[in-house]
Amino acid sequence: MARALVLGAYGLIGSACARALVDAGFDVTGLGRSSQAAQRSNLPVDWVIRDIAQLTIAEWQDLLDGCDVVVNAAGALQDGARDRLEAIHVTALKALARAAETMPLRVVQISAAGVEEDASTEFFRSKARGDAVIVRGLSDRVILRPTLVLAPEAYGGTALLRAAAAIPLAQPKALPDAMIQTVSIEDVASAVVRAARKEIAPATILDLTEEGTQSLATLTETMRDWLGVSPPIFRPTLPDWALRAMSSCVDLLGQLGWRSPLRRSAVQVLRDGVRGDSSNWVATGGSACMSLQETLSRMPATRQDRVFARVYLALPLAIATLSFFWVISGLIPFFDLSGTISILTNRGAPYWLSALAVIGGAVLDVALGMAILWRRWAARAAMGMIALSAAYVLGSLITAPDLWLDPLGPMVKVLPGMMLAGFVALVLEDR
């Protein structure tokens, strides 16, 4: 049985390729850096949990020993707290190419349509440098360059498309000149299997894409129809300056570990257009890639897709609301510290205990409000908010039960905040 090693096997493209290779009779090993993500993928493969950017040539040689094909589906969109493009797209491939140069195996590199070393984004430039490493270092290689990949699972740009298509009543329009081509994940996985079986000649570079092209606005409208969302009443135009400002803000969040598809690189890729040339793929004997409509017809939207799109849209708003609420609620007591402490001392609580509760609670409020903005700590911060809120509720019942009868309901309002924090904790999950 032929053996395949899939890099980034639990990602959107990597998981589809791994399943397709298993179905084609390959013995597949997946390589990724998150054991939790690997376990959640439910792939019928063996796993090696390593960071490809940290592997030495000797370690690569051990991993590649006995392999017949390596599929590189690992990648990142932009530098951030958890990703470095040069390390993932170039440095790792240099070590891989050195390790594989004398081995009888094929490397299938999944790149992206439109990559060039002088492209407008570092994503495309680093991808181009990685492709060049493979071209220079390996003779038995195939490079596949898909356009915008559509799959039943949504991640990154495709998740953003679904969320934008699900906005109630409105359909914002942005980047009117952007032209997009798509490709089904089925076509990408099928091409990988053909390359792994050596049905494609070595040293081949192929774009994978549908023949048709549509504007970003048309693509979003089509996704809205696919989701079954009611037609919009308003179609406001989002100015380019507003989109740039939004991307700059999101880039800052990228340094806190958030991999938003609204980061500057993703928006620039859309601005430039996502297009490829399908003629070489067809010339190799491959079937024409499915059109956008054919792709969507093969994966009909369900209630789960609509709910996901709405949750994806609501999640950042929920996190921002919680952060603002907790930071402000922690700062307000310091504007009248003695008055805040007196709320407890007037009800018989010792001064030292009242001061400790007020100051300690305020500091914890601010800390949790800041921590939820850091991706790595967001879910734990949300759980901390629930626990601290529960402590506030219990403390008020013991020391100030009359606050529950206050006409403004200061304690009753704690409960919706706990539910919002619970929502965030439940839906936060990496791919």
Side-chain angles (χ1 to χ4, degrees), residues 212-266:
T213 306
Q214 52 273 317
S215 68
L216 180 59
T218 299
L219 176 57
T220 308
E221 291 277 3
T222 302
M223 294 295 291
R224 192 179 187 101
D225 291 340
W226 172 74
L227 283 171
V229 178
S230 301
I233 298 175
F234 309 103
R235 287 183 169 84
T237 298
L238 186 65
D240 195 58
W241 65 263
L243 190 59
R244 290 181 186 275
M246 192 182 304
S247 297
S248 297
C249 293
V250 170
D251 278 352
L252 294 177
L253 293 176
Q255 299 305 314
L256 297 176
W258 298 96
R259 294 166 166 169
S260 170
L262 272 176
R263 284 179 290 175
R264 187 172 58 250
S265 289

Side-chain angles (χ1 to χ4, degrees), residues 185-230:
I185 190 66
E186 291 184 33
D187 287 326
V188 176
S190 175
V192 168
V193 171
R194 284 195 62 209
R197 286 174 167 170
K198 300 194 175 182
E199 296 172 8
I200 299 174
T204 302
I205 300 176
L206 301 168
D207 286 353
L208 299 176
T209 184
E210 63 177 334
E211 293 185 4
T213 306
Q214 52 273 317
S215 68
L216 180 59
T218 299
L219 176 57
T220 308
E221 291 277 3
T222 302
M223 294 295 291
R224 192 179 187 101
D225 291 340
W226 172 74
L227 283 171
V229 178
S230 301

